[in-house]
Amino acid sequence: PPCTLDNPPSLWSGRAAADKGSMQPAEDLGIAEQARNCDHPQVAFFHLFFRTAAILTYIFCTWFSANFVRIFIVCVLLLAFDFWTVKNVSGRLLVGLRWWNEILPDGSSEWRFECADANQRPHNSLDSSIFWGGLIVAPALWTLFALGALLRLNFEWLLIDVVALGLNGANVIGYIRCRKDAGSKIQGMVTQAGMSTFLRGIPGF
């Protein structure tokens, strides 16, 4: 499906232009000090909270309940909260990216991407590491869980894994494509600016 890239400045807010000079090496800081270096600590927390809670529920829920239907509902709700948070909040504030899939009047679908302007794009390396790390690690774990359930022929638990991979995978694909298209746009703008500067130096242009 066709893809477009938008960057309306009104969607991007927060302390994206925080002073990077105040950042200290993460290995020299404790967890509390590192959290203070996040531009959006609450967003970073919830970016990890729902997916971590879903994984922990999946692993340890049988210690507290043998009712699979109840476990399935709790896991799916946590996964749905995580999908919405990552898609609509944490991606926009932590890395300046946003994606969605739009259904056109003719019934076809179109991937649409938004990227913050250069002066509004977040520049906090800790926020970026938290976002991309959480985005990639969770689906990798769900893949392992799915393989384990498949080998044990435990199709009930495999159903949870499939739901998790579907929701997590949609965000992974969306943000990777969004980042790729944003990079292509930036590269095109740099090339165009360089060509314009070169042409202005030629007599007659």
Side-chain angles (χ1 to χ4, degrees):
C3 301
T4 59
L5 180 67
D6 305 318
N7 57 344
S10 60
L11 287 178
W12 313 104
S13 61
R15 298 186 296 143
D19 181 13
K20 293 183 288 184
S22 63
M23 294 290 292
Q24 301 180 36
E27 59 270 17
D28 297 336
L29 300 174
I31 295 177
E33 287 76 10
Q34 290 183 41
R36 295 192 190 100
N37 282 335
C38 288
D39 286 345
H40 304 282
Q42 295 88 354
V43 176
F45 171 79
F46 283 105
H47 175 73
L48 300 176
F49 173 76
F50 290 118
R51 56 187 48 215
T52 302
I55 290 172
L56 293 178
T57 300
Y58 180 88
I59 296 174
F60 299 111
C61 59
T62 53
W63 292 10
F64 308 100
S65 175
N67 188 326
F68 176 78
V69 173
R70 185 179 303 168
I71 295 169
F72 178 84
I73 292 174
V74 172
C75 285
V76 170
L77 285 176
L78 290 171
L79 290 166
F81 291 149
D82 170 71
F83 175 80
W84 185 91
T85 301
V86 175
K87 180 177 178 293
N88 296 300
V89 181
S90 61
R92 176 168 60 88
L93 295 178
L94 297 182
V95 292
L97 300 173
R98 185 168 175 256
W99 70 271
W100 72 95
N101 191 275
E102 187 174 292
I103 304 299
L104 301 179
D106 61 0
S108 61
S109 64
E110 180 180 36
W111 286 79
R112 296 185 64 87
F113 306 116
E114 290 178 348
C115 175
D117 291 334
N119 61 334
Q120 295 177 314
R121 190 172 300 125
H123 298 289
N124 190 305
S125 60
L126 182 57
D127 282 358
S128 179
S129 298
I130 291 173
F131 177 81
W132 291 109
L135 190 72
I136 300 300
V137 170
L141 291 175
W142 285 112
T143 300
L144 294 177
F145 296 154
L147 291 175
L150 187 61
L151 291 174
R152 297 192 307 270
L153 300 180
N154 196 333
F155 297 110
E156 286 185 341
W157 291 91
L158 182 61
L159 181 60
I160 298 178
D161 301 326
V162 170
V163 173
L165 286 172
L167 294 175
N168 281 254
N171 270 325
V172 170
I173 295 172
Y175 278 112
I176 288 178
R177 295 184 64 179
C178 190
R179 184 180 186 180
K180 181 179 178 181
D181 279 22
S184 299
K185 181 182 178 182
I186 293 171
Q187 185 178 5
M189 292 172 62
V190 171
T191 302
Q192 183 178 5
M195 183 63 68
S196 300
T197 302
F198 173 75
L199 292 176
R200 282 198 298 268
I202 300 177
F205 282 91

